[in-house]
Amino acid sequence: PHPVIKAKCFDYILENAPIYINPSDPFGIALEAIKLTPLLDVGCNPDKILISLSTQWQIELEDKLYLPEDAHFSKYAGGYLLNEFYIDYNHSSPSWEDILKYGISGLLKRATHYKTELSKKAPLTEEQLAYFEGIEITYNAVLKLFKRYIIALSEKTEPKMQCMKKAFENLINNPPENTYEALLLAWQYWFLQENIDYVRVRTMGGIDGLYYNFYKNDLENGTFTEEDIKGLFLYFMNEFNAIRVHYQEPIYLGGMDENGNCIVNDLSYLVLDAYNILS
């Protein structure tokens, strides 16, 4: 089944791709599993390993779902309208709230729980079994990658790398506990989904709201100072600039809660200060 094929490919890449480390960067660890070719208009053209597999399945879907009249319209309308028409399964908006709340191991446990509860109601179909198996393989692959990172970082003596090693040791079993661990998890999640799993992460979410409790707790506990956290956001945002993200990477600040109250906070201004330094 497709979910299992995709997950096993993902697992193989995470287990075998070389690890890149930049000791000067608190987020400077990734897999050397993509190539970037510069483009003048949008920044880069990513050559991703699973692009051929995803493209093949996309074509199969188009063959199944496109009516003859739809295919005819799509073929000829592009010459007269400023539009393009295609079946798009390549954009997603991750639930960052859940990712930061549960962490990778927590998401895996939640999926296993859903599978168990669903099976109590009726025997799972082949499609359902494949769906859950794909999830289990994928999240276990990420946890194995974090263990690879820890081994690689054990050879590094730089303070940033020792701090990163400690963060991954916690992230294997737990959700993030501070601003650094939360941003590191978000960066890893983005990198793996966007560049290895080959599904676009179309937004990083409302970052002043997502990370505010981490920020507040770090200041109260003395884990990080305000300047430390501004530095972390500088590095974090520069990761996307450094990799020349295809068609940019949206974030947003502020907004309103369910009662119509403004949710701009101190972190909103800190992020803007960091962004202004980068720009």
Side-chain angles (χ1 to χ4, degrees), residues 146-164:
F146 286 1
K147 292 177 183 178
R148 285 189 68 199
Y149 284 165
I150 291 169
I151 293 171
L153 291 167
S154 297
E155 301 175 0
K156 303 294 181 181
T157 59
E158 295 85 355
K160 287 186 176 73
M161 298 300 95
Q162 288 302 303
C163 184
M164 185 188 290

Side-chain angles (χ1 to χ4, degrees), residues 6-16 137 140-141 144:
K6 183 79 174 291
K8 287 187 175 181
C9 291
F10 181 82
D11 177 50
Y12 182 86
I13 296 168
L14 267 58
E15 192 169 355
N16 291 279
I137 293 171
N140 276 314
K144 287 189 294 182

Side-chain angles (χ1 to χ4, degrees), residues 28-197:
I29 193 165
L31 293 177
E32 294 189 20
I34 59 171
K35 295 180 180 180
L36 298 178
T37 303
L39 290 178
L40 294 177
D41 58 342
V42 295
C44 72
N45 180 39
D47 182 9
K48 304 177 183 181
I49 292 177
L50 294 183
I51 187 171
S52 59
L53 188 64
S54 297
T55 302
Q56 173 190 331
W57 290 345
Q58 185 96 349
I59 293 171
E60 290 175 7
L61 275 175
E62 291 175 359
D63 291 341
K64 290 180 180 179
L65 300 181
Y66 262 22
L67 297 173
E69 56 267 32
D70 293 335
H72 178 83
F73 177 80
S74 176
K75 179 179 180 180
Y76 291 100
Y80 301 94
L81 304 171
L82 297 176
N83 288 291
E84 57 182 345
F85 305 91
Y86 59 94
I87 299 170
D88 186 0
Y89 287 96
N90 192 37
H91 291 77
S92 72
S93 297
S95 176
W96 291 110
E97 291 83 358
D98 285 352
I99 294 167
L100 298 176
K101 177 181 178 181
Y102 294 105
I104 300 299
S105 60
L107 292 172
L108 176 58
K109 290 175 183 176
R110 186 176 69 169
T112 303
H113 172 75
Y114 286 161
K115 178 182 177 182
T116 301
E117 292 301 308
L118 191 61
S119 65
K120 291 178 181 178
K121 300 176 182 178
L124 298 181
T125 66
E126 290 186 3
E127 287 187 353
Q128 289 171 325
L129 287 170
Y131 171 78
F132 283 110
E133 185 180 355
I135 291 175
E136 291 166 359
I137 293 171
T138 299
Y139 283 128
N140 276 314
V142 177
L143 295 175
K144 287 189 294 182
L145 174 64
F146 286 1
K147 292 177 183 178
R148 285 189 68 199
Y149 284 165
I150 291 169
I151 293 171
L153 291 167
S154 297
E155 301 175 0
K156 303 294 181 181
T157 59
E158 295 85 355
K160 287 186 176 73
M161 298 300 95
Q162 288 302 303
C163 184
M164 185 188 290
K165 175 176 174 286
K166 183 179 178 182
F168 279 121
E169 287 172 342
N170 181 60
L171 290 173
I172 281 180
N173 300 305
N174 304 298
E177 294 181 352
N178 56 52
T179 306
Y180 175 56
E181 290 183 359
L183 290 172
L184 181 63
L185 177 61
W187 165 245
Q188 286 296 312
Y189 190 99
W190 176 87
F191 181 87
L192 294 173
Q193 180 177 312
E194 175 103 6
N195 298 287
I196 311 301
D197 192 45

